[in-house]
């Protein structure tokens, strides 16, 4: 499953969700709901996703919507990250855009880290606060958008949020 932008000439005219039937049909009913909600979230948020929205926030929001819509428990959806945290391997920082390469053996953990960062934002600041944060980052056309939005919208810093997120991973996944 993926999203793609529809273009007429040089002008974007919309988005679509692409489905690989063989892959899609291998998923169970819950997996199909999660994946479809994830991809539709990308379509719904694309217009508000500016150039400086980090991939962890884009993918984390899509997973947050997907897992919340399907009511998937954390211990089920974050199995790979849970194993890492229980083994004492805690991420040092929020995922970087370069961490989302398809060939990475730890890509599942990267997505799980992103989802749980967004879930923490929703838990602490509410879903309205999360969406306000996302829109603020997306509307900022310059580098440092995430830092400014953390301070202006959430009243924190990336460093402080990261420390809280790491502690939350230990509490929630140990």
């Amino acid at each position: 499953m993926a999203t793609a932008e529809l273009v007429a000439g040089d002008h974007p005219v919309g988005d679509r969700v692409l489905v690989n039937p063989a892959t899609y049909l291998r998923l169970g009913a819950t997996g199909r709901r999660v994946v479809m909600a994830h991809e539709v979230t990308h379509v719904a948020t694309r217009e508000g996703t500016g150039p400086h929205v980090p991939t962890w926030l884009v993918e984390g929001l899509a997973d947050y919507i997907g897992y919340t819509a399907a009511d998937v428990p954390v211990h089920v959806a974050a199995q790979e990250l849970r194993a890492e945290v229980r083994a004492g391997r805690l991420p040092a920082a929020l995922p970087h855009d370069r961490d989302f390469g398809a060939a990475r053996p730890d890509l599942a953990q990267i997505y799980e880290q992103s989802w749980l960062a967004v879930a923490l934002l929703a838990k602490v600041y509410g879903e309205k606060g999360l969406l306000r944060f996302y829109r603020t980052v997306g509307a900022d056309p310059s580098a440092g958008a995430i830092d400014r939005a953390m301070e202006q919208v959430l009243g924190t810093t990336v460093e402080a949020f990261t420390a809280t997120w790491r502690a939350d991973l230990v509490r929630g996944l140990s």
Side-chain angles (χ1 to χ4, degrees):
M1 302 272 297
T3 57
E5 189 172 63
L6 296 173
V7 178
D10 292 334
H11 305 292
V13 294
D15 291 295
R16 63 180 167 199
V17 174
L18 304 173
V19 177
N20 177 330
T23 303
Y24 189 70
L25 292 174
R26 281 194 298 244
L27 297 171
T30 300
R32 287 192 295 268
R33 279 195 304 275
V34 169
V35 168
M36 190 58 73
H38 174 106
E39 297 303 339
V40 169
T41 299
H42 285 314
V43 171
T45 60
R46 186 172 315 274
E47 189 174 311
T49 304
H52 297 288
V53 178
T55 304
W56 71 261
L57 185 54
V58 172
E59 294 299 339
L61 179 65
D63 274 353
Y64 174 76
I65 298 297
Y67 288 129
T68 301
D71 197 28
V72 177
V74 171
H75 73 276
V76 172
Q79 291 179 19
E80 290 86 351
L81 182 57
R82 186 176 188 209
E84 292 291 311
V85 170
R86 285 182 162 187
R89 294 184 294 274
L90 192 63
L94 293 164
H96 297 281
D97 289 355
R98 67 182 175 273
D99 295 335
F100 288 86
R104 286 188 64 121
D106 63 343
L107 189 59
Q109 292 94 320
I110 299 299
Y111 272 84
E112 292 164 3
Q113 290 170 25
S114 302
W115 163 52
L116 292 173
V118 170
L120 178 61
L121 289 170
K123 183 169 67 174
V124 173
Y125 303 99
E127 288 184 349
K128 287 182 181 181
L130 165 62
L131 295 176
R132 189 171 48 254
F133 172 68
Y134 192 96
R135 288 183 186 116
T136 301
V137 177
D140 190 329
S142 59
I146 195 85
D147 296 306
R148 281 188 294 282
M150 281 268 182
E151 291 177 20
Q152 294 169 359
V153 176
L154 306 178
T156 191
T157 64
V158 172
E159 294 78 18
F161 175 74
T162 300
T164 302
W165 167 72
R166 292 179 79 230
D168 195 63
L169 290 177
V170 171
R171 268 190 311 277
L173 298 176
S174 293

